[in-house]
Amino acid sequence: MRLFRGVALLALASAASGSISQFGDPDARAKALLKQMTLDEKLAMVRGYQGHYVGNIVGNERLGIPPVNMNDGPQGFRDNASPGTSTAWPSGLTMAATWSVDAVRSWGEGMGKEFYAKGANVQLGPGLCLARIPRNGRNFEYLSGEDPFLGYTLVQPAITGIQNQNVVANAKHYILNNQETNRGSVSELADETTRFTMYYPPFAGAVAADVGSVMCSYNKINGVWSCENPETLGHDLKAVIGFKGYVMSDWGATHSTSIMAGLDVEMPGNGFMNVAAIKAGLAAGNITNAAIDDSIFRILRAMYSVGVMDAPSGTWNSSNIKKNVTTEASVVLARQLAAKATVLLKNDMNILPLDRTKTIAFIGFASDNAIVHGGGSGSVVPSYISTPLAAAHHAGIDVTYHDGINISSAAAAAAAADYAVVFVGTLSHEGGDRASLSLNDGCDGCKFTDQDKLVSQVAAAQTKTVVVASVPGAILFPWANEVQGILTNFMPGQQAGNAIIDVLFGDVNPSAKLPLTFPNKENETQLSPAQWPGLPDPTNPTYANYSEGQLVGYRYYEAHGIQFTTGFPFGHGLSYTTFEYTLSGAPQVSDTHVTFEVTVKNTGSRPGAEVVQAYVIFPESKMTIGTIQLKAFEKTKEIQSLESVTVGLAIQREQFLQAWCHKWVNVPGQFKLRIGSSSRDIRLSASFIL
Ligand code: BGC
């Protein structure tokens, strides 16, 4: 079947509203219930507390409103009280590497089911910030990678997947929480165009999927706290983007009784959104009853929309939190998703897939200590972790193991085998940015040995060396030209080992693509201290200036013509087969979309899937940048050897082929279309005039 992206999204939206309609009209039901509430009953809901779950809002027995039970995080249910009772799924960034709407939907469904079974009706995820800063400690959580359109597209199936399980999703952290350094004080200086063009689209995608809640962030925006910012909350998010759900603060990110600015719920306390403060505001005329009603309406609407209100009694009972909700099915799915998210960066001499009858040396601490997740509220403690070493043994593959601590003996072990696979990796965590992009920074295990030196010396001893890197975002591979094969599986979750064995030995043919650029060197985009981590100011702790505007990630690399020597471009990812592209005719322009069809032929000998990426260069204008920008993509089905499939792609004209100048405006002229297998592997060119 051919599906135009635009049409596919429409289908998605109606699927979402189809499931919503089984719970009646959420607006009408929320309005009717709101009418029955007293002021005190309403005020009990504009603040939360930390109870059995990470966050809670009291229920209302008189009116039959269940409690709101919120829990972290964006890659599975975080249960520190009963560890090992939920699945550690691949992280948000890892899922972004699939470039697959279907994979992301099943990820959302898998997580949502576990939240439901734990009695939680709000999942504090997905995370959607853009990887503006390669060293940002939370990049691993974020589904957008470094591209707003990638985030816009992938967030929709994530939200639908979660919310179809009667669990309200939460799009976070709105907005510009793009660094962890000074996150609780930094003021992010970004103009309207930069916000609408680069940072809002993933949240607009969440809104398009009718996300029930949004979390405002710790930082300030242009000098005003995110959770009391009338411009970004009340105006941009609610009035312009059209968000219908409720805004909750990040934990401790409320600084005032900000209901009039667009904050609906203070989490997790009542320091500011308490009864006394709101009643005083009402008496003084600073707060209106209409604003309170709007906040409560938004919370109730979200609960009605996804079926929280109609769940069988006992569903939201906090005793459910103790249940072990991980299932065989989730573990199987987590394995498939982690394999689908594994990016093949390099495969010289077709060293991969490996021949299991040869002698293979697994080297490096990460062979036996799989790196699963980053740290902080996004981490999940699984019941078990599949390590590469255990998974190989389980699959009946005979490998030797060397922990890599003594580098020369590791090199000797590599030389003694037919192939060496070096497992390297590092971590990052919430609350801090990475000290560098080196593999040697970020985790205890990384300190056992100099991982870069280990790879180089193993590669010097063994030509047939492959590296598997588990990383929380962009990373430096100074040895990239010394090894024959490189795979990255980002933060793969608890099925790390099984999934990588599936890929290494060819049971799964890789089809993932980088959701962000892997640089050649540290700070390659030349961020000045004023841009990151920001400069101190006497009146306002730190300012981080978004003076690069839209030149984030690959847009910067394009604008500066940077070539890749040891790094890898955005969108890059190889397969064990090869693909040939043909454009079927000229792009067609309608009032709403530009559409085109691309035929992809599998010219190799193995079945494989490809991601067709369509980039656009806007006509020259003061409002646009001159670089390519991702505007459509489609992952094919698995194509058989010598088979061709035709995929239809559609770019929505509104927003995606417009520029922001206080509103979306047309940019008349010739648009160039660049279609390819990565941002630097462009196979086809065309143009259209708007
Ligand atoms: C994080 C949020 C998280 C919350 C609750 C905050 O520190 O920024 O992402 O959901 O804590 O744990």
Side-chain angles (χ1 to χ4, degrees):
M1 179 174 64
R2 288 183 208 169
L3 264 191
F4 285 110
R5 161 65 59 211
V7 179
L9 289 183
L10 280 180
L12 206 78
S14 60
S17 53
S19 67
I20 284 166
S21 68
Q22 66 176 289
F23 306 116
D25 175 354
D27 293 67
R29 293 181 75 189
K31 233 178 249 168
L33 184 56
L34 181 65
K35 274 203 189 122
Q36 299 175 46
M37 294 178 76
T38 65
L39 178 63
D40 284 332
E41 283 173 334
K42 292 174 193 168
L43 296 188
M45 293 184 74
V46 293
R47 58 175 197 266
Y49 65 97
Q50 208 138 8
H52 290 282
Y53 296 87
V54 166
N56 307 259
I57 300 176
V58 284
N60 181 323
E61 235 176 88
R62 181 181 83 87
L63 296 169
I65 305 175
V68 175
N69 299 334
M70 311 167 170
N71 216 78
D72 287 317
Q75 35 257 334
F77 191 95
R78 175 166 70 115
D79 189 349
N80 292 343
S82 13
T85 56
S86 54
T87 307
W89 298 86
S91 82
L93 182 71
T94 314
M95 289 308 300
T98 66
W99 293 56
S100 164
V101 164
D102 293 337
V104 173
R105 189 186 303 108
S106 60
W107 176 69
E109 284 168 1
M111 295 189 298
K113 279 184 190 143
E114 295 191 1
F115 276 73
Y116 179 89
K118 285 273 196 186
N121 47 34
V122 177
Q123 175 174 355
L124 298 174
L128 298 177
C129 294
L130 215 68
R132 169 182 184 251
I133 308 297
R135 279 162 58 181
N136 177 10
R138 293 189 89 171
N139 280 346
F140 74 92
E141 294 185 44
Y142 295 137
L143 194 51
S144 308
E146 68 187 22
D147 187 79
F149 182 77
L150 186 64
Y152 174 86
T153 307
L154 294 183
V155 65
Q156 301 191 47
I159 302 283
T160 306
I162 294 166
Q163 296 198 156
N164 277 352
Q165 313 310 314
N166 314 114
V167 174
V168 172
N170 179 254
K172 71 188 191 183
H173 306 89
Y174 186 87
I175 189 73
L176 307 184
N177 184 183
N178 302 318
Q179 64 184 65
E180 289 296 286
T181 307
N182 296 327
R183 71 173 179 178
S185 57
V186 65
S187 180
E188 313 275 347
L189 302 186
D191 63 33
E192 208 184 298
T193 302
T194 305
R195 297 200 308 272
F196 272 93
T197 319
M198 296 300 292
Y199 299 98
Y200 287 161
F203 290 89
V207 170
D210 202 16
V211 68
S213 68
V214 162
M215 187 186 290
C216 53
S217 51
Y218 284 122
N219 52 288
K220 292 180 176 177
I221 300 130
N222 300 326
V224 181
W225 291 113
S226 173
C227 291
E228 61 182 40
N229 195 312
E231 189 179 357
T232 55
L233 293 178
H235 183 263
D236 297 351
L237 179 64
K238 290 183 174 175
V240 180
I241 300 173
F243 173 54
K244 290 187 173 162
Y246 63 99
V247 175
M248 66 173 77
S249 69
D250 199 341
W251 270 229
T254 308
H255 295 269
S256 64
T257 313
S258 320
I259 195 161
M260 299 304 288
L263 176 68
D264 300 303
V265 179
E266 173 179 0
M267 288 307 298
N270 68 351
F272 300 97
M273 301 280 274
N274 54 54
V275 176
I278 296 189
K279 284 193 172 166
L282 278 169
N286 305 326
I287 293 178
T288 62
N289 277 306
I292 298 167
D293 281 359
D294 182 56
S295 292
I296 304 306
F297 169 77
R298 287 168 175 277
I299 302 167
L300 297 176
R301 182 189 179 281
M303 293 170 86
Y304 277 122
S305 293
V306 310
V308 171
M309 295 291 207
D310 298 291
S313 87
T315 304
W316 311 124
N317 190 322
S318 60
S319 62
N320 291 329
I321 200 171
K322 295 205 179 79
K323 287 187 181 160
N324 183 352
V325 299
T326 187
T327 62
E328 195 45 43
S330 8
V331 171
V332 168
L333 180 58
R335 173 179 183 163
Q336 289 165 349
L337 294 175
K340 279 188 185 161
T342 302
V343 189
L344 176 61
L345 294 171
K346 180 170 181 181
N347 197 18
D348 282 3
M349 317 293 289
N350 290 328
I351 184 171
L352 291 167
L354 297 175
D355 178 348
R356 62 178 73 202
T357 63
K358 303 274 185 197
T359 56
I360 301 166
F362 276 16
I363 292 169
F365 82 100
S367 318
D368 200 23
N369 299 274
I371 294 177
V372 169
H373 273 179
S377 60
S379 63
V380 175
V381 184
S383 55
Y384 73 93
I385 290 173
S386 153
T387 68
L389 195 58
H393 290 149
H394 192 248
I397 303 164
D398 198 14
V399 298
T400 60
Y401 170 59
H402 190 291
D403 63 17
I405 294 175
N406 180 327
I407 294 183
S408 51
S409 96
D418 294 326
Y419 294 96
V421 184
V422 191
F423 290 87
V424 295
T426 187
L427 292 176
S428 67
H429 57 84
E430 178 181 343
D433 292 330
R434 281 192 276 164
S436 77
L437 295 181
S438 163
L439 280 169
N440 294 328
D441 267 323
C443 66
D444 293 343
C446 320
K447 309 229 160 35
F448 295 160
T449 189
D450 178 335
Q451 297 191 80
D452 288 329
K453 195 167 160 201
L454 173 67
V455 174
S456 284
Q457 299 213 356
V458 166
Q462 171 56 269
T463 324
K464 293 196 173 95
T465 292
V466 172
V467 176
V468 174
S470 301
V471 294
I475 197 87
L476 299 181
F477 293 149
W479 34 259
N481 297 314
E482 298 162 32
V483 299
Q484 287 192 341
I486 308 176
L487 287 158
T488 185
N489 54 359
F490 290 104
M491 299 278 102
Q494 71 176 68
Q495 282 282 21
N498 285 325
I500 199 68
I501 295 301
D502 290 343
V503 174
L504 278 170
F505 292 92
D507 292 330
V508 172
N509 185 354
S511 60
K513 303 279 181 179
L514 284 183
L516 36 66
T517 307
F518 274 19
N520 302 298
K521 58 178 190 188
E522 209 64 63
N523 196 20
E524 198 159 34
T525 59
Q526 304 278 307
L527 291 167
S528 68
Q531 289 167 287
W532 178 82
L535 293 177
D537 179 276
T539 56
N540 217 328
T542 309
Y543 284 112
N545 199 332
Y546 285 45
S547 50
E548 75 284 357
Q550 297 172 46
L551 295 186
V552 173
Y554 69 90
R555 290 162 165 80
Y556 182 96
Y557 281 74
E558 293 300 313
H560 291 83
I562 298 172
Q563 295 308 309
F564 288 91
T565 51
T566 55
F568 295 94
F570 175 81
H572 173 70
L574 304 171
S575 164
Y576 295 153
T577 188
T578 46
F579 301 101
E580 196 179 85
Y581 283 54
T582 335
L583 193 61
S584 326
Q588 301 295 306
V589 177
S590 77
D591 288 349
T592 57
H593 289 86
V594 173
T595 57
F596 44 96
E597 289 187 346
V598 178
T599 300
V600 182
K601 181 174 181 190
N602 180 345
T603 49
S605 55
R606 286 171 178 266
E610 169 70 323
V611 179
V612 179
Q613 303 167 35
Y615 298 84
V616 166
I617 304 171
F618 277 59
E620 247 178 72
S621 131
K622 268 196 226 142
M623 296 184 296
T624 59
I625 54 170
T627 69
I628 56 168
Q629 301 184 50
L630 182 73
K631 292 294 172 183
F633 64 89
E634 190 71 51
K635 187 158 200 164
T636 68
K637 64 165 188 131
E638 186 148 89
I639 311 174
Q640 297 305 311
S641 169
L642 304 184
E643 187 197 358
S644 295
V645 299
T646 299
V647 291
L649 292 107
I651 307 176
Q652 184 184 300
R653 290 181 60 173
E654 195 186 339
Q655 295 186 31
F656 298 112
L657 294 174
Q658 290 183 307
W660 181 266
C661 188
H662 307 304
K663 59 179 179 167
W664 291 113
V665 295
N666 290 332
V667 188
Q670 190 188 53
F671 288 71
K672 293 178 187 140
L673 191 57
R674 301 282 182 262
I675 300 164
S677 181
S678 90
S679 62
R680 285 291 171 93
D681 182 6
I682 299 299
R683 308 283 183 88
L684 304 166
S685 293
S687 63
F688 54 89
I689 292 175
L690 295 182

